Amino acid sequence: MFEDRISAGLQLAGHLAELPVKDPVVLALPRGGAPVALPIAQALQAPMDLLLVRKIGMPSNPELAAGALAEGSNPIFNNALLQIAGLRPEDFAAQVAQAREENAARRARYLRGRAPVELAGRTAIVVDDGIATGATFMAAHIWLKERGPASVILAVPVAPPEAVDELRPLVDTVICLLSPEEFRAVGVHYRDFTQTSDAEVMAALAAAPQAGAGKDRTWH
């Protein structure tokens, strides 16, 4: 059980500080990943940016991820789920278009024209407040590959074992502090899981080290 997202981030920062991390960039999945990512960015003196991904829900159950879309990339879909439901990726064209608009709107709102942090040749540390199914990170993985980081670390406080096993081959390192066999939802593992506001995301970005920080440094 974590006290709150910041407390979880501090614990993750302690584990990351023990790794040889070269030229780190911390990428938060908003909104909940931002307060987790801030203590990590501060501990590593690394710049913090956002990795914007929107879930594409099933028509019958919007909370059930049929797929996901990272900004500037193509959507990915759970083909097994679509097959069971008798659906095709083309059936989600309207949702994909809406997800693109939402990603663009979020970048404009949160970053206010600030250029993305360059990832090529650096260590990308992807942070969220937890993983339920892994669909969001599958889309993030495609986005990351297109930007050429030297290595990728996935750092999350909590995730079910099957999601960790599925995502582990996609990254160089996984740090997951809690992986319960009986996983119900991310929020039940926090005493305070109040929804993160837009203002908190922007405050976290403002409090993090700026672009250029962490460059040419190796943390042990």
Side-chain angles (χ1 to χ4, degrees), residues 131-135 137-138 154 158-170 174 176 179 183:
I131 290 175
T133 66
F137 186 78
M138 295 293 284
L154 175 60
V158 60
E162 59 271 20
V164 175
D165 290 343
E166 183 179 15
L167 298 178
R168 194 180 301 278
L170 303 181
V174 174
C176 180
S179 189
F183 181 92

Short mmCIF file of all heavy atoms in Angstrom, two decimals, residues 131-135 137-138 154 158-170 174 176 179 183:
data_model
loop_
_atom_site.label_atom_id
_atom_site.label_comp_id
_atom_site.label_asym_id
_atom_site.label_seq_id
_atom_site.Cartn_x
_atom_site.Cartn_y
_atom_site.Cartn_z
N ILE A 131 -0.15 0.07 -13.65
CA ILE A 131 -0.56 -0.54 -14.90
C ILE A 131 -1.66 -1.55 -14.60
O ILE A 131 -1.52 -2.36 -13.68
CB ILE A 131 0.62 -1.24 -15.60
CG1 ILE A 131 1.62 -0.21 -16.12
CG2 ILE A 131 0.15 -2.15 -16.73
CD1 ILE A 131 2.88 -0.83 -16.70
N ALA A 132 -2.74 -1.50 -15.38
CA ALA A 132 -3.82 -2.47 -15.21
C ALA A 132 -3.71 -3.57 -16.26
O ALA A 132 -3.61 -4.75 -15.93
CB ALA A 132 -5.17 -1.76 -15.29
N THR A 133 -3.72 -3.18 -17.54
CA THR A 133 -3.70 -4.18 -18.62
C THR A 133 -2.44 -4.11 -19.47
O THR A 133 -2.10 -5.08 -20.15
CB THR A 133 -4.90 -4.00 -19.55
OG1 THR A 133 -4.78 -2.73 -20.23
CG2 THR A 133 -6.21 -4.03 -18.78
N GLY A 134 -1.76 -2.97 -19.49
CA GLY A 134 -0.58 -2.81 -20.33
C GLY A 134 -0.87 -2.26 -21.70
O GLY A 134 0.06 -1.98 -22.47
N ALA A 135 -2.15 -2.05 -22.04
CA ALA A 135 -2.50 -1.55 -23.38
C ALA A 135 -1.89 -0.18 -23.64
O ALA A 135 -1.40 0.09 -24.74
CB ALA A 135 -4.02 -1.49 -23.53
N PHE A 137 0.86 1.11 -22.40
CA PHE A 137 2.29 1.06 -22.65
C PHE A 137 2.62 0.40 -23.97
O PHE A 137 3.66 0.70 -24.57
CB PHE A 137 3.04 0.35 -21.52
CG PHE A 137 4.53 0.43 -21.70
CD1 PHE A 137 5.21 1.59 -21.37
CD2 PHE A 137 5.24 -0.61 -22.25
CE1 PHE A 137 6.57 1.70 -21.58
CE2 PHE A 137 6.60 -0.52 -22.47
CZ PHE A 137 7.27 0.65 -22.13
N MET A 138 1.79 -0.48 -24.46
CA MET A 138 2.04 -1.08 -25.77
C MET A 138 2.08 0.01 -26.83
O MET A 138 2.92 0.00 -27.74
CB MET A 138 0.96 -2.11 -26.10
CG MET A 138 0.96 -3.32 -25.19
SD MET A 138 2.42 -4.37 -25.36
CE MET A 138 2.05 -5.20 -26.89
N LEU A 154 10.94 1.00 -17.64
CA LEU A 154 9.56 1.18 -17.22
C LEU A 154 9.52 1.14 -15.71
O LEU A 154 9.94 0.14 -15.10
CB LEU A 154 8.68 0.08 -17.81
CG LEU A 154 7.21 0.06 -17.35
CD1 LEU A 154 6.50 1.36 -17.72
CD2 LEU A 154 6.48 -1.14 -17.93
N VAL A 158 2.87 -0.26 -9.18
CA VAL A 158 2.08 -1.48 -9.06
C VAL A 158 1.56 -1.92 -10.42
O VAL A 158 1.23 -1.10 -11.28
CB VAL A 158 0.91 -1.27 -8.07
CG1 VAL A 158 -0.02 -0.14 -8.53
CG2 VAL A 158 0.13 -2.55 -7.84
N ALA A 159 1.52 -3.24 -10.61
CA ALA A 159 0.99 -3.83 -11.84
C ALA A 159 0.74 -5.32 -11.59
O ALA A 159 1.44 -5.93 -10.77
CB ALA A 159 1.95 -3.65 -13.01
N PRO A 160 -0.21 -5.92 -12.29
CA PRO A 160 -0.42 -7.36 -12.13
C PRO A 160 0.72 -8.15 -12.76
O PRO A 160 1.36 -7.68 -13.71
CB PRO A 160 -1.74 -7.61 -12.88
CG PRO A 160 -1.86 -6.48 -13.84
CD PRO A 160 -1.19 -5.31 -13.20
N PRO A 161 1.02 -9.33 -12.26
CA PRO A 161 2.16 -10.11 -12.76
C PRO A 161 2.10 -10.36 -14.26
O PRO A 161 3.13 -10.31 -14.94
CB PRO A 161 2.08 -11.42 -11.97
CG PRO A 161 1.31 -11.09 -10.75
CD PRO A 161 0.34 -10.02 -11.13
N GLU A 162 0.91 -10.64 -14.80
CA GLU A 162 0.81 -10.95 -16.22
C GLU A 162 1.14 -9.74 -17.09
O GLU A 162 1.72 -9.89 -18.17
CB GLU A 162 -0.59 -11.48 -16.57
CG GLU A 162 -1.75 -10.56 -16.26
CD GLU A 162 -2.30 -10.74 -14.85
OE1 GLU A 162 -1.58 -11.29 -13.98
OE2 GLU A 162 -3.44 -10.31 -14.61
N ALA A 163 0.81 -8.53 -16.62
CA ALA A 163 1.16 -7.32 -17.37
C ALA A 163 2.66 -7.10 -17.35
O ALA A 163 3.26 -6.74 -18.36
CB ALA A 163 0.42 -6.11 -16.80
N VAL A 164 3.28 -7.32 -16.19
CA VAL A 164 4.74 -7.18 -16.08
C VAL A 164 5.43 -8.17 -17.03
O VAL A 164 6.38 -7.81 -17.74
CB VAL A 164 5.20 -7.39 -14.63
CG1 VAL A 164 6.72 -7.38 -14.54
CG2 VAL A 164 4.61 -6.31 -13.72
N ASP A 165 4.95 -9.40 -17.05
CA ASP A 165 5.54 -10.42 -17.91
C ASP A 165 5.39 -10.06 -19.39
O ASP A 165 6.30 -10.31 -20.19
CB ASP A 165 4.89 -11.78 -17.65
CG ASP A 165 5.26 -12.36 -16.29
OD1 ASP A 165 6.25 -11.88 -15.70
OD2 ASP A 165 4.54 -13.26 -15.81
N GLU A 166 4.25 -9.47 -19.74
CA GLU A 166 4.01 -9.11 -21.14
C GLU A 166 4.88 -7.94 -21.59
O GLU A 166 5.34 -7.90 -22.73
CB GLU A 166 2.53 -8.76 -21.34
CG GLU A 166 2.15 -8.44 -22.78
CD GLU A 166 0.69 -8.13 -22.95
OE1 GLU A 166 0.00 -7.87 -21.95
OE2 GLU A 166 0.23 -8.12 -24.11
N LEU A 167 5.12 -7.00 -20.68
CA LEU A 167 5.84 -5.79 -21.05
C LEU A 167 7.36 -5.92 -20.89
O LEU A 167 8.11 -5.18 -21.53
CB LEU A 167 5.35 -4.61 -20.19
CG LEU A 167 3.86 -4.25 -20.36
CD1 LEU A 167 3.49 -3.11 -19.43
CD2 LEU A 167 3.55 -3.88 -21.80
N ARG A 168 7.80 -6.84 -20.08
CA ARG A 168 9.23 -6.96 -19.80
C ARG A 168 10.08 -7.10 -21.07
O ARG A 168 11.14 -6.47 -21.18
CB ARG A 168 9.49 -8.14 -18.86
CG ARG A 168 10.88 -8.13 -18.24
CD ARG A 168 11.09 -9.32 -17.33
NE ARG A 168 10.14 -9.36 -16.23
CZ ARG A 168 10.26 -8.66 -15.12
NH1 ARG A 168 11.29 -7.85 -14.97
NH2 ARG A 168 9.36 -8.76 -14.16
N PRO A 169 9.66 -7.91 -22.08
CA PRO A 169 10.49 -8.04 -23.28
C PRO A 169 10.57 -6.76 -24.12
O PRO A 169 11.43 -6.66 -25.00
CB PRO A 169 9.79 -9.16 -24.08
CG PRO A 169 8.93 -9.88 -23.10
CD PRO A 169 8.51 -8.85 -22.12
N LEU A 170 9.69 -5.80 -23.86
CA LEU A 170 9.64 -4.58 -24.68
C LEU A 170 10.61 -3.51 -24.20
O LEU A 170 10.85 -2.53 -24.91
CB LEU A 170 8.22 -4.01 -24.68
CG LEU A 170 7.10 -4.93 -25.17
CD1 LEU A 170 5.78 -4.19 -25.13
CD2 LEU A 170 7.38 -5.45 -26.57
N VAL A 174 12.52 -3.31 -16.09
CA VAL A 174 11.23 -3.03 -15.45
C VAL A 174 11.46 -2.90 -13.95
O VAL A 174 12.07 -3.78 -13.33
CB VAL A 174 10.20 -4.14 -15.72
CG1 VAL A 174 8.92 -3.88 -14.92
CG2 VAL A 174 9.87 -4.24 -17.19
N CYS A 176 8.99 -2.58 -10.86
CA CYS A 176 7.61 -2.60 -10.37
C CYS A 176 7.68 -2.98 -8.90
O CYS A 176 8.12 -4.08 -8.55
CB CYS A 176 6.78 -3.60 -11.18
SG CYS A 176 5.05 -3.71 -10.64
N SER A 179 3.50 -6.29 -7.18
CA SER A 179 2.86 -7.06 -8.25
C SER A 179 2.01 -8.17 -7.64
O SER A 179 2.38 -9.34 -7.66
CB SER A 179 3.94 -7.63 -9.19
OG SER A 179 3.36 -8.21 -10.33
N PHE A 183 -4.87 -8.93 -8.38
CA PHE A 183 -4.87 -7.51 -8.72
C PHE A 183 -6.29 -7.11 -9.10
O PHE A 183 -6.90 -7.69 -9.99
CB PHE A 183 -3.92 -7.27 -9.90
CG PHE A 183 -3.83 -5.82 -10.33
CD1 PHE A 183 -2.86 -4.99 -9.79
CD2 PHE A 183 -4.71 -5.30 -11.27
CE1 PHE A 183 -2.77 -3.67 -10.18
CE2 PHE A 183 -4.63 -3.98 -11.66
CZ PHE A 183 -3.65 -3.16 -11.11
#
